[in-house]
Amino acid sequence: MNKRQINKKDRVWRWIAAAAVMLLLAGCSREYGEAEKEDTLTPMDENLIVVGVSQVGSESVWRTANTMSLQKVFTKENGYFMIFNNARQKQENQIKAIRSFISQRVDYIVFSPIMEDGWETVLREAKEADIPVILVDRKVKLQDQSLYTCWVGSDFKNEGRMAGEALAYCLRKQGRQRENIHIVLLQGTQGATATIGRAEGFQEIAQKHENWLILEQADGEFTTAKGQEEMERLLHRYKDIDVVVSQNDDMTFGALAAIEEAGKTAGEDGDILVISFDAVKGALKLVEEGKITADIECNPNQGEYVDQIIRKMEEGEAVAKLHFVPERVFVKENVAEDLGEDD
Ligand code: AHR
């Protein structure tokens, strides 16, 4: 009998322990926020797979879609009992939540790490408690790779490369291959895999173009408000911005507002080219209108992959360490296909 099958037999006892700890923690768990999934244990629940989910926060439209994709699969109908934690952009909240999941003896921990550093200790605690950890979206930097079971998410570096290539394509179309191109970058949360990967991938392509001059990399924290604030500052500081590469659609919405306020226009026929990431519906409409030149998809639908991984593990099957979700680039020419699709 393999380890996961033993865990199945052991689940009744885990439930008794979990019920006791949940009763004790009932008051404290509220502090994790309104997204905390409230539920009650019943004797019928003993066969459910208990999953503790710690999400980064609710900073972006993409994040909401990612949360919904997890909530959609971790239902009682599917055989799960989910304990959800919204970390509100704070690593300390995620660490606290993971420790709470460990003390509740959940069957699996699923979490999207806000940044890559600082997880070694708490993930060792999870390993010592024999709880598999499945990372979604972002990665962790560890000495010991055995501290997590596997990861599901985007190839962020490739997203960055696709952004660079989309820009090169557009500039070629405009016949601007020899012109000096002044670029500003709006970056997401510092230390996050998405920020690091997208910056590295874009730089890789930028280095091949001597005429691309990166004026500044600003920290827009993946939010509309900060994206707008930083773009206003950049427009004030540099009078000759040709391109904005914004690492998510929320910051792009803010940047577009700032561009408009400054009396400038965005798009291939305007003053500033805008390249964005995520490809949420609201942004794809702006691709269609020509305000965003290219939007690099970041696929939020990761729940179904995590479900498949857990089901395999429940059967004692081995799972691959890395699982990449499929992603596309949207430009005016192909965006209609996706806007026609239902959510
Ligand atoms: O880690 C994925 C990134 O995080 C998404 O691009 C962004 O919108 C989110 O907040």
Side-chain angles (χ1 to χ4, degrees), residues 59-60 62-63 137-138 156 194 198 222 247-248 250 278 298:
E59 74 283 5
S60 63
W62 184 93
R63 184 65 56 197
D137 171 29
R138 300 178 185 173
F156 292 116
R198 287 170 185 165
F222 281 135
Q247 286 190 345
N248 86 343
D250 296 76
D278 282 359
C298 182

Side-chain angles (χ1 to χ4, degrees), residues 69-88:
S69 142
L70 295 166
Q71 288 174 335
K72 202 166 133 194
V73 295
F74 293 139
T75 60
K76 281 191 179 174
E77 295 67 41
N78 281 346
Y80 291 104
F81 184 92
M82 178 179 72
I83 308 166
F84 185 86
N85 159 262
N86 179 340
R88 299 176 183 278

